[in-house]
Amino acid sequence: MNVLWEGDVIVAGGGSAGCAAAVATARSGARCLLVESAGYLGGTGAAVLDTFYGFYAPGPTSPRVVGGIGWEVCERLFATGSAFERPNTYGAGTGVTYEPEALKLVWDELTAGVTVLLHARVCGTGDEVETVAGRFAIRAPVLVDATGDAEIAWRAGAAVERPGMRLQPMTTTFRLGGVDLSATSAAELRALMEEAGDAYGLARRDGSVHRTVHDGIVHANLTRVSGLDPTDPLELSRAEREGRRQADAYVRFLREKVPGYGSAVLLGTSIRIGVRESRRLKGRYVLTAEDVLAGRDHPDTIARCGAPIEDHDAGAGTRWEYVRDHGTYGIPYRCLLPAAEAPGLVVAGRSLSATHDAHASARSMGQCMAMGEAAGTAAALAVESAAEPADVDVDVLRGRLRANGAIL
């Protein structure tokens, strides 16, 4: 098999975690290959959503808990008028709403020092890549699994929590133009969904519709596709179709029942369905609900979070549980490391090692970027010292993250 690329670090997945990991790796002086299956970078942040959560903790002071590369992304979006801050509908902390097309360009700019391979997938155990020109070998001593599904860790034989466990549902988002958002409050919208939900077959009654950076255009996070496994190819395909069906039902409901939406035009559904949860790594430490709610810190904390447990159940509601005393908690580096030996592998993003409940807090894109930056920095340190990622000096890692603006 021909070798397409050889270097220091391979990052599988170009979403929030993977992009941050690749930027951190390159800035640390390591040669990095970033592989993404789509034709753009940004992952769910560019394909499904338009708001970053997790940058701020909820509560009266609402401190910012994510810095570094993630905050640099926000600052670049703010600078071009492509983002603004807004309160979360359910008190989960201030969100950063942005234009997804602008986000794609920001990640293109930030990854200038990275070899970016689009329209490709890392396969095998991380040493091969499938492209439009066929399959090639890729070579590096360290691999960051930022696929979101722990796909490379699973293929490499690392222990994972497999789907079939209780999973949060998937969501297809959509955008509408020609909306007067001032005509109906969020509370009034929820009341109308409760009142007319059965008639329209609405799967969820507590979602959100919010303004965007463009006048008259809103983003809707309303659908709920439950009971399907996002790592099963047939079930994922069914979920995509069901998500679009539900989006159509919500659009009809909004036009016919909600003031301000009578002339609304559907501008598009999300490029792919949004997956909240799939495989999770079984790491050297498993983050728990107790860690989250008690606001625990750890000696190897590499990211902070103040987000509540936001558990979208299979019914029409969502369970919210908040960190005690409006506090925050630390995400340990050990949550990114496989429990059993998996040479050269570190995981970043929503497939971190955590229980279902803890994952429902730590999965926000702000934390994914922070974990990605930590994973990429650790990968570069491992290359520098010819060591395994698990053997990186955590004090050195934390010091380098702080020096680069991370909040620990």
Side-chain angles (χ1 to χ4, degrees), residues 204-262:
R204 181 184 178 192
R205 314 291 166 84
D206 68 349
S208 67
V209 180
H210 61 256
R211 67 188 178 98
T212 68
V213 297
H214 307 293
D215 291 341
I217 295 178
V218 300
H219 180 96
N221 187 333
L222 293 171
T223 71
R224 175 164 286 170
V225 180
S226 303
L228 295 174
D229 179 352
T231 66
D232 181 300
L234 293 176
E235 291 193 13
L236 180 59
S237 298
R238 285 167 53 196
E240 293 280 11
R241 293 158 64 91
E242 171 61 16
R244 284 189 289 272
R245 186 200 67 77
Q246 288 188 22
D248 178 68
Y250 278 100
V251 171
R252 286 188 290 106
F253 157 74
L254 291 167
R255 285 174 177 159
E256 295 171 8
K257 295 295 183 181
V258 182
Y261 290 83

Side-chain angles (χ1 to χ4, degrees), residues 285-375:
Y285 187 86
V286 180
L287 191 71
T288 68
E290 292 73 21
D291 290 325
V292 170
L293 298 177
R296 288 177 184 157
D297 213 342
H298 304 270
D300 59 338
T301 288
I302 45 79
R304 296 211 72 76
C305 185
I309 293 173
E310 179 186 347
D311 189 3
H312 296 249
D313 61 27
T318 303
R319 175 172 63 92
W320 300 84
E321 290 188 59
Y322 291 82
V323 181
R324 182 185 304 160
D325 299 326
H326 306 295
T328 66
Y329 64 91
I331 298 174
Y333 178 53
R334 287 165 292 161
C335 289
L336 311 184
L337 299 171
E341 185 174 349
L345 182 66
V346 59
V347 170
R350 66 172 172 84
S351 51
L352 81 156
S353 175
T355 64
H356 171 84
D357 285 346
H359 177 272
S361 167
R363 64 181 175 82
S364 294
M365 283 191 285
Q367 279 63 51
C368 285
M369 284 187 244
M371 286 186 275
E373 182 169 2

